Amino acid sequence: MNIQIYGKSKCFDTKKAERYFKERKIPFQRIDLPKYGMRPRELETILAAAGGLEALVDPKHPDAALVEHLAYEQDKIDKLLENPALFRTPIVRNGRKATVGYCPETWKDWE
């Protein structure tokens, strides 16, 4: 398993996800999303696994409505890549599999 947790330092669900993997002694790489962002190829993989762009946008972020009203899918993706704070967290990735939010039921199947 090659677990990557994309998250925000003050996100409660990100901390719960990290605790989930620590308790099971599963190594993971933590990526501070607002600081480091995400590469376009990583986002493609996560989009395919997570079920679309709507699942990735944090509805609590002030600019979430702006992203929803952009006409083209590529414009929405570009906006997410330029402002990583718009992502809903945690995004947990295991190769080609990915989840958005706290999803221990899904992670159990990865073990």
Side-chain angles (χ1 to χ4, degrees):
M1 263 198 295
N2 185 18
I3 303 292
Q4 294 176 313
I5 301 175
Y6 295 86
K8 301 172 189 166
S9 59
K10 297 191 186 234
C11 174
F12 183 67
D13 284 342
T14 298
K15 290 176 185 176
K16 283 181 14 183
E18 290 174 1
R19 189 176 333 115
Y20 175 90
F21 290 103
K22 279 180 188 174
E23 287 172 354
R24 285 154 184 79
K25 296 180 177 31
I26 298 170
F28 62 88
Q29 176 187 13
R30 185 189 189 291
I31 299 156
D32 187 1
L33 204 45
K35 185 175 181 180
Y36 297 107
M38 187 180 295
R39 287 179 274 154
R41 296 283 294 159
E42 292 171 325
L43 180 56
E44 279 179 35
T45 304
I46 291 167
L47 276 171
L53 198 57
E54 294 76 30
L56 290 175
V57 178
D58 183 0
K60 297 175 189 166
H61 193 280
D63 291 340
L66 171 69
V67 174
E68 282 181 31
H69 294 295
L70 290 172
Y72 300 105
E73 191 84 4
Q74 189 58 47
D75 291 342
K76 293 177 184 183
I77 290 170
D78 292 342
K79 190 69 174 170
L80 279 171
L81 289 171
E82 62 183 61
N83 186 0
L86 280 164
F87 283 103
R88 184 173 157 226
T89 54
I91 299 170
V92 181
R93 183 173 166 217
N94 179 17
R96 295 228 172 257
K97 301 173 191 168
T99 60
V100 180
Y102 184 70
C103 305
E105 322 76 49
T106 306
W107 304 333
K108 236 180 255 180
D109 296 338
W110 294 355
E111 294 177 25

